[in-house]
Amino acid sequence: AADPLRVLVTGDSLTESLGPTVAATAPDTVRAETETRFGTGLVRPDFFDWAAHARSQLATFDPEAVVVAMGGNDGQGITMPDGRVLPAGSDEWLDEYRLRAMVVMSIWSDGGRRRVYWLGLPPARSATLDGYFRQMNRATSEAARLVPGVRFVDLSPVLSDNGAYSDYLTDARGRTVLARTRDGVHLTLDGARMAADEVLRALSADWRLGG
């Protein structure tokens, strides 16, 4: 507790409730901070460049672990530097998304000197969006295997009904809770608690957190 693990929870609006919940439920051997960038993702660096910002975050927060949740805004085409547009869901789009994920993962992990926990997107209510989310999860899980110090944390086992979207889920205490908000993407406070439990479980696999 005198030298707590420095954790940065960052990403798009999916981290808005998750980050504070991780901070509130973690043992006192963890000091978690949150930086949420609404409406951002990996497909529009012209709007917000996560690669550049990741470098800035290392200098500002000096985290030992970075927990990342993003992708909710990325179900759209990718415009390449030469002007070509890769249609969302295409093979080229998936390859480019994987590459962009590897770039930001590599920056945060700093050659494996820091740990990065990339959270998979749980199922979405919209079938179209859910299809994109599954593709992004495949891309980011593959990227995580290729970058030292990075782990992909699959949230679907706890934030779905056997892999299918559901507003209501059973939490760790056996209670049926409303886990998702009206938009069918974001987490309620109960859903954030379920996700935070998974985050802390992943952290505990690398550090003895106690508590």
Side-chain angles (χ1 to χ4, degrees):
D3 182 21
L5 179 70
R6 301 185 304 279
V7 178
L8 172 63
V9 182
T10 192
D12 62 19
S13 56
L14 296 171
T15 64
E16 182 182 18
S17 59
L18 176 61
T21 304
V22 169
T25 57
D28 59 7
T29 51
V30 174
R31 188 186 74 215
E33 298 182 85
T34 305
E35 187 180 36
T36 299
R37 293 288 176 165
F38 296 94
T40 66
L42 298 180
V43 304
R44 290 287 308 275
D46 58 312
F47 172 68
F48 187 84
D49 188 344
W50 267 106
H53 191 65
R55 294 186 181 93
S56 174
Q57 288 179 315
L58 296 187
T60 301
F61 296 100
D62 189 26
E64 295 168 282
V66 182
V67 177
V68 185
M70 70 169 73
N73 307 296
D74 283 342
Q76 56 182 303
I78 294 176
T79 301
M80 300 295 287
D82 62 5
R84 286 186 307 132
V85 178
L86 309 182
S90 66
D91 288 342
E92 283 186 302
W93 177 86
L94 196 62
D95 289 342
E96 180 64 20
Y97 198 84
R98 183 188 305 108
L99 178 61
R100 294 185 182 195
M102 287 180 65
V103 168
V104 293
M105 287 175 180
S106 296
I107 293 168
W108 276 314
S109 70
D110 195 18
R113 286 182 285 274
R114 306 170 198 264
R115 296 286 184 175
V116 178
Y117 302 85
W118 193 285
L119 307 186
L121 296 163
R125 184 187 295 131
S126 160
T128 300
L129 201 56
D130 187 60
Y132 291 142
F133 283 9
R134 290 177 188 274
Q135 286 182 297
M136 289 179 221
N137 284 346
R138 188 162 71 251
T140 52
S141 63
E142 290 169 354
R145 288 196 293 270
L146 297 172
V147 181
V150 182
R151 178 183 302 176
F152 179 82
V153 180
D154 186 3
L155 296 181
S156 290
V158 296
L159 290 176
S160 73
D161 182 5
N162 294 313
Y165 178 87
S166 178
D167 288 323
Y168 290 89
L169 296 169
T170 303
D171 69 8
R173 299 178 182 178
R175 303 177 305 160
T176 298
V177 298
L178 177 63
R180 311 298 285 275
T181 62
R182 289 183 180 180
D183 65 9
V185 173
H186 292 87
L187 303 176
T188 63
L189 184 56
D190 280 316
R193 289 192 185 102
M194 296 169 73
D197 285 346
E198 290 302 297
V199 169
L200 293 172
R201 188 172 293 113
L203 291 172
S204 295
D206 293 319
W207 286 279
R208 287 189 289 180
L209 302 180

